[in-house]
């Protein structure tokens, strides 16, 4: 049981490049979400999904795109990377709001 | 949106000491969770506690929903307790799945 797996762990992008952060879970959780963490801040919600085929925006969705074609996978796409997107990105999953969340180990992204 | 305030922002403890971390929130919530982020960045769910009291070993948490605060108690602290403790809440209502995090309390336990 691997839990929530995020890849890559580290990434450096040039401004304007695009990339996809991968997130996969093997716990059959319906709910998945993406957060970003900036220094001195708590985590802020980017996008979330309550099941395959259903996604919605969180607090800071601009510049990011998501899709949920399967229960297991929830990739986060950066359309045109900007230095303001330099951050640590966490994926999380849960059975639902009444349950605890399991987080992946994070992806540290630097945009230069 | 809902405001989540944690105090203190920083805390330094001698190993073996006890501590209390506080989380205040500005509205009624459906879900309150405490997380520990270790020095390597891993986030661990400690408690799901929208109301009442729970205990897990040396850690316990109490949420008084009517007064909109939660407390995390750490007893006999160890160096492995170091890291940042986050409180997170979400709003009541159908389909509300958005956790709002506080800025955290950074705990340093020194030997």
């Amino acid at each position: 049981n691997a839990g929530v797996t995020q890849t890559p762990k580290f990434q450096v992008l040039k401004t304007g490049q695009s990339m996809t952060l991968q997130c996969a879970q093997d716990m059959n959780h319906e709910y998945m979400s993406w957060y970003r963490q900036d220094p001195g801040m708590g985590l802020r919600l980017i996008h979330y999904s309550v099941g395959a085929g259903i996604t919605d925006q969180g607090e800071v969705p601009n510049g990011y795109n998501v899709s949920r074609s399967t229960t297991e996978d929830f990739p986060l796409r950066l359309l045109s990377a900007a230095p303001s997107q330099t951050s640590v990105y966490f994926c999380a999953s849960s059975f639902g709001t009444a349950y605890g969340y399991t987080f992946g180990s994070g992806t540290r992204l630097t945009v230069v | 949106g809902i405001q989540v305030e944690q105090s203190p922002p920083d805390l330094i403890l001698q190993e073996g000491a006890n501590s209390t971390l506080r989380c205040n929130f500005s509205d009624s919530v459906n879900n309150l969770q405490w997380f520990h982020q270790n020095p390597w960045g891993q986030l661990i769910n400690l408690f799901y506690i929208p109301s009442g009291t729970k205990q897990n070993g040396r850690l316990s948490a109490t949420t008084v929903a009517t007064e909109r605060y939660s407390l995390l108690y750490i007893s006999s602290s160890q160096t492995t307790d170091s890291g940042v403790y986050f409180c997170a809440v979400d709003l009541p209502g159908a389909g509300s799945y958005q956790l709002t995090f506080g800025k955290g309390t950074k705990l340093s336990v020194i030997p």
Side-chain angles (χ1 to χ4, degrees):
Chain A
N1 190 339
V4 178
T5 302
Q6 288 185 239
T7 56
K9 293 191 183 304
F10 301 94
Q11 183 71 47
V12 179
L13 287 180
K14 293 183 178 179
T15 297
Q17 286 184 318
S18 63
M19 79 160 294
T20 299
L21 307 185
Q22 301 292 344
C23 176
Q25 53 91 10
D26 60 359
M27 299 172 285
N28 202 32
H29 287 171
E30 287 295 321
Y31 175 68
M32 297 184 74
S33 54
W34 278 100
Y35 291 84
R36 61 176 288 173
Q37 184 178 27
D38 301 300
M41 306 280 289
L43 281 72
R44 292 182 293 169
L45 182 66
I46 304 171
H47 284 285
Y48 65 97
S49 168
V50 300
I54 306 169
T55 64
D56 206 346
Q57 297 181 351
E59 180 185 356
V60 288
N62 292 341
Y64 307 96
N65 201 358
V66 293
S67 60
R68 183 97 179 268
S69 56
T70 67
T71 298
E72 294 77 21
D73 299 298
F74 190 43
L76 178 72
R77 297 181 185 84
L78 279 70
L79 309 173
S80 177
S84 60
Q85 294 178 304
T86 294
S87 189
V88 181
Y89 291 85
F90 289 96
C91 179
S93 73
S94 173
F95 279 117
T97 56
Y99 301 88
Y101 286 67
T102 301
F103 278 82
S105 57
T107 295
R108 185 173 295 273
L109 176 68
T110 302
V111 182
V112 298
Chain B
I2 191 168
Q3 303 299 313
V4 182
E5 296 183 354
Q6 293 187 243
S7 60
D10 295 278
L11 185 58
I12 300 175
L13 294 178
Q14 200 78 36
E15 197 170 24
N18 302 329
S19 63
T20 301
L21 282 58
R22 186 176 182 103
C23 172
N24 292 333
F25 42 96
S26 61
D27 206 342
S28 299
V29 298
N30 194 48
N31 176 0
L32 186 144
Q33 301 191 31
W34 284 97
F35 295 90
H36 174 223
Q37 186 169 40
N38 65 26
W40 296 271
Q42 182 67 42
L43 279 156
I44 305 297
N45 205 156
L46 297 176
F47 293 104
Y48 162 70
I49 185 164
S51 63
T53 297
K54 289 186 178 179
Q55 181 158 6
N56 185 1
R58 296 180 296 103
L59 272 60
S60 64
T62 295
T63 298
V64 183
T66 53
E67 298 187 22
R68 299 180 184 170
Y69 74 88
S70 183
L71 302 174
L72 178 68
Y73 305 96
I74 304 174
S75 64
S76 303
S77 58
Q78 301 176 358
T79 55
T80 52
D81 295 330
S82 296
V84 183
Y85 290 81
F86 290 103
C87 165
V89 302
D90 75 0
L91 295 174
S96 174
Y97 295 91
Q98 302 189 42
L99 274 184
T100 298
F101 282 74
K103 294 186 177 181
T105 292
K106 183 177 181 181
L107 175 64
S108 301
V109 181
I110 56 177

